[in-house]
Amino acid sequence: HVQLVESGGGSVHTGESLTLTCVASISTIGEACMGWFRQPPGKERDEVAAICTDGHTYYTDSVKGRFTISQDTAENAVYLQMNSLKPEDTAMYTCAASNRILPEWYILAGYAYWGQGTQVTVS
């Protein structure tokens, strides 16, 4: 069983930056993807970005050019660098991990493991 722990959320002003970190309790075995999702207040959880062991990275359109996902396999960690933050980025950000390469990275059901989330507030 893989446990995911997020950190790095906080309250910032428009235009500022934050880096979110997700650490897995064990290294993922074989091919997998790790993704970040977010849920704004009163709305559904949506995809943000993902990185897979085949080297592909994916971003939802609203964060392209502002957010960067990366990973450190030695640390079992995935990072989400968020620049030029906007009030509409305000949400609970949650890390997720799959146990296979996902052809459709944005589908929540493809991820087997989820963290508890970290709040990001932009004002």
Side-chain angles (χ1 to χ4, degrees), residues 11-18 66 82-86 122:
S11 295
V12 297
H13 295 113
T14 299
E16 295 184 340
S17 300
L18 281 174
R66 300 190 298 123
M82 305 186 295
N83 298 326
S84 302
L85 283 162
K86 305 174 181 179
V122 186

Side-chain angles (χ1 to χ4, degrees), residues 4-92:
L4 304 174
V5 179
E6 304 97 333
S7 61
S11 295
V12 297
H13 295 113
T14 299
E16 295 184 340
S17 300
L18 281 174
T19 299
L20 304 183
T21 299
C22 173
V23 179
S25 57
I26 60 174
S27 60
T28 55
I29 300 174
E31 298 178 324
C33 296
M34 292 191 73
W36 285 97
F37 293 79
R38 65 185 179 186
Q39 185 169 17
K43 297 184 178 180
E44 295 184 350
R45 181 179 287 174
D46 288 325
E47 71 279 4
V48 178
I51 187 167
C52 301
T53 52
D54 62 359
H56 286 98
T57 56
Y58 305 94
Y59 299 92
T60 194
D61 286 345
S62 63
V63 308
K64 286 180 180 177
R66 300 190 298 123
F67 291 11
T68 303
I69 190 169
S70 61
Q71 64 182 13
D72 183 337
T73 54
E75 298 294 328
N76 299 331
V78 173
Y79 308 99
L80 186 67
Q81 173 69 43
M82 305 186 295
N83 298 326
S84 302
L85 283 162
K86 305 174 181 179
E88 51 264 44
D89 294 318
T90 294
M92 178 68 74

